[in-house]
Amino acid sequence: MSKKTLHALTGEEQFVRRHIGPDQAQQAHMLQYLGTDSVESLISQTVPENIRLPEPLSIGRSQTEEEALAVLNKIAQKNEIYTSYIGMGYYPTLVPNVILRNVLENPGWYTAYTPYQPEIAQGRLEALLNFQQLSIDLTGMELASASLLDEATAAAEAMALAKRVSKNKKSNIFFVSDDVHPQTIDVVKTRAEMFGFEVIVDQADKAPEHDIFGALIQYPSTTGHITDHSDYIAKLQEQKAVVSVATDFMSLLMLKSPGEMGADVVLGSAQRFGVPMGYGGPHAAFFTTRDKFKRSLPGRVIGVSKDRTDQPALRMAMQTREQHIRREKANSNICTAQVLLANMASFYAVYHGPEGLKDIAERIHRFADIFALGLQQNSFTLAHDHWFDTLTCEVSPEARQEILSRANTAKINLRTDLNTLSVSMNETTTVQDLQVLFDVFCGEQHGLDIQALDQKVVNGDIQSVPEALIRTSTYLDHPVFNQYQSETDMLRYIKRLENKDLALNHSMISLGSCTMKLNATAEMIPVTWPEFSNLHPFAPKDQTAGYQEMIQLLSDWLVNITGYDAVSMQPNSGAQGEYAGLIAIKKYHESRGDGHRNICLIPSSAHGTNPASAQMANMKVIVVACDKQGNVDMDDLKAKAEEVSENLSCIMITYPSTHGVYEETIREICDIIHQHGGQVYMDGANMNAQVGITSPGYIGSDVSHLNLHKTFCIPHGGGGPGMGPIGVKSHLEPFLPGHAVTGGAENGAVAAAEFGSAGILPISWMYIAMMGSEGLKQASEIAILSANYLTQKLAAHYPILYRGQNNRVAHECIVDIRPIKEETGISEMDIAKRLMDYGFHAPTMSFPVAGTLMIEPTESESLEELDRFIDAMVAIKEEINKVERGDWTLENNPLVMAPHTQDDVLQEDWDRAYSREEAAFPLPYVRENKFWPTVTRIDDVFGDRNLICSCPPVEAYT
C-alpha cells in the first residue's frame, strides 16, 4: 500500500481544495469536454502569451485555516484596546447578540447580492426600508436613501446635490462650518477641488456674508455644542443656498430634528446603532432630503410597489438614476450601499424599539451631565453651555499633560486638540467608567460622589439641552419598531426575512462581473475579534500596531499580485477606488505642468461607474467604439488618441474586457495612451481572471482599483460592504489619498477613515494567506476553466455573443437573448425571473449589452452545481421552444408568469397552459431544495409612478 507524503497528511493545501469547487476528477472531465488535456494548455489557448507572468507570485505557501488564524490572532494581539472617548462620529457600541450571531455572522445575510432581482430579495429590502423609515423619522425629513459609504462621503454627496438643485446658479462657493468633523471637511474639500468649487471653512455665523450655493453644518458640533439652527437655515435659504446638516442618530432621540429646523439635507453615520467601530468601517451613512429633490438623491432608494397579484412588494426605486444607465450624467458614481451595516442598524432600532433607544440616549446624556457637573465643581471651564454626549474643556498645557498621563495609565483615549480635551460618552459607558474619568481629570482626591451629582442632575441643577431643543415630535411609531423586543420575537423576525432572500448558502449566484465566490467561514471569523472590531480609527498609532502590520502585509501581497509599486487602502468601494485613482492621475499631470489634460477615453463596453467617476474627477469623457467581436476598435482608439493628444489624461479600461475576453491588443492600447502622454487606468473588476497569470502592472497599466469584495473574498453583504483599494506605479504614489486627522494631509482624503473599511480587511488577508501563491493562481485558472465549460455547454442552446482567441472566453461569458426575443417574444427578463423557480439567482442582466445575460461561475462552484445551472438554462430554452412552436402562447407560459410563489401555485382557479408542477418543480433537483420567492413579478413602472420609500401601514399587507 502506497503511503501519502507528510506534506499531504498535514493538509497544507487543505484550504485550497475546499475553496476551489471542482476536484481533480471534475477538472479532468471539464478539460476533456473542452478538448484539451490540461489546465496549462487551456490557459495558453486563452490568455495572450505576451502578458503571461514570467515568474510565479511570491506570496508563499498556502496556510491551513488553523495556521492562518493563529498567525493573524498573534498580529491582532498587538492592538491595544483602550476605552475610547474620542467621538468624532465613532463610538463604542453594544451589538445585540441576536444581531451579531444571526446577521453579521450569518451567511444568509452576508453572502446575498445587491437586490437587483427583488423577487428573491424581499427580506433585505424590508430591512433597508426599515432603515429608511428610521432615517426619515429621526431626521424629520421626507425621503431617505438606503445608505451611503460613510458620513464624510455623504457630506460630499450633499454638496453635489446642493449644486444640482440650488437656485443660486451663479455661485461656485460651498460653505462648511468649522465645527464639522475634520475628516468630513477633508473629504468635502477633495470633492470640491475636483469639481472646481471653492470651499470656505469658517464660523457658521459667517456664512450669510458669502454668496454661496450651499452650506454644511454639524449638529451636535464636533466638539459637542448644540444650538438651534432654525433662523440660520432660513436666512441661508432666503439667499437661495441649500443647507445640509450632519448629525447623529443617537442625539436625535432627544434633540429637535434638523427637519424641524428647516434643513434641506440631513446626513450622518448610523455606526453607533449596533455596528462596531472596526478601525473606521464599514458603517452605513444615512442621507435624507426633501421629496422635491428625489431625482437628485445619490445612491439607492428602496420603494414600495406591487407584484402581478397586486400584493405589496419592495424594489430598488428610480433605477434610471443609476450610473450603469446614465453613465457620466449620473448623480453619483457610488453604485453600492452599506447594506449589511444598514440592516444591522435597522435591526438595532427594531430590537430596542423607540422606548429602549430613548433609554440608551438618555443614559448617555445623563453621564455627560454628571461629568459636566463634576468638572465644573473642580474648576474646569467647559467650552459650551449645551451638549448631548460630548464635553470639551479648556485646559492649560500643564493640566493637559497631567490628565493625558493619567489617561494613558488608565488605558483611556481622549480627544486632544491644541488647547482642549474632549470626552464623548457612549452606550458602553458605566458608572465605574465615570469614576475612572473623574480620577483621570481631577486626580484621585477629587471627592466627587457620582450619586450626589446624579441627584443634582435630576433636580435640574444643569440644563444642558435648552427647552427649544428638546425633542417633542414622535418617531418609530410603525409597528415594526414596536413588536420585536423579546429575543424570541427578534430571532424569528430576522429568520423570517432571511428566508425571503436567496444567498450563496442556497445556490450559486452566477453574476458576470460581480464574482460571487466562496466567502469562507475562516475568513470571516477575525472580523468580530475585539482586537479588530473595537478600535477607534483615530486611536494613537502605538495602540494599533496589529492593524498596521496586517495592512502592511496585505499591501505587500497586493503589490506582488498586481505588479504595482504601492497600494492605498483608503477607498471603501470600487467606485471610490476609481475616483481616487483618477485623482492621482489628475494630480500627477498637474505636478508636471499638464493640468490642462482632462480627457478620459472610455470604451463603450465599460462599467457605468467608469464614466461617472471620470465626471466626478472633472474629466471630459470620450467614448471609444468596440468592434463586432467586442474588443476595443483600435482604429477608433488611435484616431481619438491622436485627436485629443495634447489634452489626453487617461483611458479607463477593464481587463479581461467587460465582454469577457482577453483582448490581444491590450499592451498596444497601453502603449498608444502612453505615447500621447496619458495614463492607463485598469478597472479591477475582473482581477479574478488575472491573479497569478498576469497583472495590470505587468501589462502596462499605471493604476487600478481592486474589488476586495469580488476577487479577494469580502462578501457582498446584500449590496455592501465593499473595499476598493488602489494600486499604483511609483510615479503616482506621491498622489495617493492622505488624511487630515491621522497624517499625510498634503493629499485630500476620499473616505472618512485613513484605511477605509479596515474592519473587513482581515477577510482578504485570510484568503490570500490560506491560498498562497499556487492557490491564488489555481483560483484564476479554474475560474477560466469553469467559464469555458459552461460556455461550451450553453453554446449548443444559446448564442454566445463574444469569444476570444481559439474560441475561448475569460472567466465569464455573454449569452445573447436578442435573437430569441425577436423570434419568440421571450426576453432576458423572463429568463431571469424563471431561473428563480429553478432555485437560481439570475446572471447579470442587460450589462454590458442590452438584451443579454452575462454569466460568471467562479472557481468555487463544483461541477455538480455548474451542471445544475446548465440543466436549468437548457430546460428554460426548451420552454422557450414551446412558445416558439405555439404550444404555449406568449401571454400564457411559465416564463412570462415567473416567478411562481406558493400562493400562486396553490390558487384554486388554475387557468394556465402549464401545470402547477411545471411552475414550481420544473426539474427533479428543485424538489430537494426548493426556494420559494415570496412575491411574483414586480411592477417597476407602478413603483416609480407611486413612489413610497417608507414603511407602509400594516393594513397594506393584509
Side-chain angles (χ1 to χ4, degrees), residues 582 600 602 609-621 652:
L582 293 175
C600 179
I602 301 181
T609 55
N610 289 175
S613 294
Q615 179 269 330
M616 283 179 57
N618 209 19
M619 293 182 181
K620 180 182 177 183
V621 174
M652 296 186 81

Side-chain angles (χ1 to χ4, degrees), residues 585 588-589 597 599 645 647-651 670-681 702 731:
I585 289 172
Y588 166 73
H589 285 313
R597 289 185 175 271
I599 290 177
S645 181
N647 296 311
L648 178 61
S649 174
C650 60
I651 189 171
C670 294
D671 290 343
I672 290 168
I673 299 302
H674 288 145
Q675 285 164 16
H676 290 281
Q679 296 285 287
V680 177
Y681 184 100
D702 300 289
H731 64 281

Side-chain angles (χ1 to χ4, degrees), residues 148-149 153 157 191 299-300 322-324 330 332-337 570-583 607-617 652 681 683-685 704-710 721-726 750-751:
L148 288 169
L149 299 177
T153 304
E157 295 289 352
R191 183 77 64 92
R300 295 190 178 134
E322 283 230 344
Q323 55 284 79
H324 289 307
S332 167
N333 74 329
I334 302 298
C335 71
T336 190
Q570 190 172 122
N572 54 9
S573 80
Q576 204 172 72
E578 292 177 16
Y579 178 57
L582 293 175
I583 289 174
H607 291 92
T609 55
N610 289 175
S613 294
Q615 179 269 330
M616 283 179 57
M652 296 186 81
Y681 184 100
D683 188 309
S704 298
H705 79 269
L706 299 170
N707 295 98
L708 299 189
H709 49 288
K710 296 183 183 183
M723 271 293 270
I726 55 171
V750 296

Side-chain angles (χ1 to χ4, degrees), residues 925-936:
Y925 78 80
V926 178
R927 193 178 293 277
E928 298 170 15
N929 188 29
K930 177 63 181 174
F931 179 87
W932 286 102
T934 51
V935 296
T936 61

Side-chain angles (χ1 to χ4, degrees), residues 738-754:
H739 198 276
V741 178
T742 56
E746 62 276 3
N747 290 329
V750 296
E754 181 181 7

Side-chain angles (χ1 to χ4, degrees), residues 599-820:
I599 290 177
C600 179
L601 300 178
I602 301 181
S604 60
S605 64
H607 291 92
T609 55
N610 289 175
S613 294
Q615 179 269 330
M616 283 179 57
N618 209 19
M619 293 182 181
K620 180 182 177 183
V621 174
I622 292 181
V623 177
V624 178
C626 289
D627 62 23
K628 291 180 180 178
Q629 287 72 44
N631 301 315
V632 171
D633 184 320
M634 295 302 291
D635 290 338
D636 192 49
L637 174 68
K638 290 173 184 174
K640 283 174 176 166
E642 182 70 42
E643 182 184 345
V644 302
S645 181
E646 287 298 311
N647 296 311
L648 178 61
S649 174
C650 60
I651 189 171
M652 296 186 81
I653 190 164
T654 302
Y655 200 75
S657 76
T658 312
H659 290 147
V661 296
Y662 290 93
E663 295 185 50
E664 294 188 60
T665 56
I666 186 63
R667 276 196 186 277
E668 186 184 352
I669 290 170
C670 294
D671 290 343
I672 290 168
I673 299 302
H674 288 145
Q675 285 164 16
H676 290 281
Q679 296 285 287
V680 177
Y681 184 100
M682 189 171 282
D683 188 309
N686 293 343
M687 272 298 293
N688 210 45
Q690 284 196 46
V691 178
I693 297 173
T694 183
S695 75
Y698 184 68
I699 290 169
S701 169
D702 300 289
V703 52
S704 298
H705 79 269
L706 299 170
N707 295 98
L708 299 189
H709 49 288
K710 296 183 183 183
T711 305
F712 298 98
C713 289
I714 291 174
H716 283 64
M723 271 293 270
I726 55 171
V728 296
K729 286 291 182 72
S730 58
H731 64 281
L732 293 180
E733 185 176 0
F735 310 105
L736 290 174
H739 198 276
V741 178
T742 56
E746 62 276 3
N747 290 329
V750 296
E754 181 181 7
F755 300 109
S757 295
I760 51 177
L761 291 178
I763 301 170
S764 297
W765 190 99
M766 284 291 295
Y767 171 68
I768 296 173
M770 292 187 295
M771 291 297 279
S773 300
E774 281 302 309
L776 290 167
K777 184 182 181 184
Q778 283 180 45
S780 301
E781 291 171 340
I782 304 309
I784 294 165
L785 171 61
S786 295
N788 277 279
Y789 171 78
L790 185 143
T791 301
Q792 202 74 354
K793 281 274 190 176
L794 292 181
H797 306 274
Y798 294 91
I800 304 298
L801 191 54
Y802 300 117
R803 305 260 195 153
Q805 61 177 348
N806 300 310
N807 219 26
R808 301 299 190 198
V809 297
H811 62 312
E812 58 194 6
C813 68
I814 297 179
V815 176
D816 194 355
I817 310 301
R818 293 172 298 181
I820 292 171

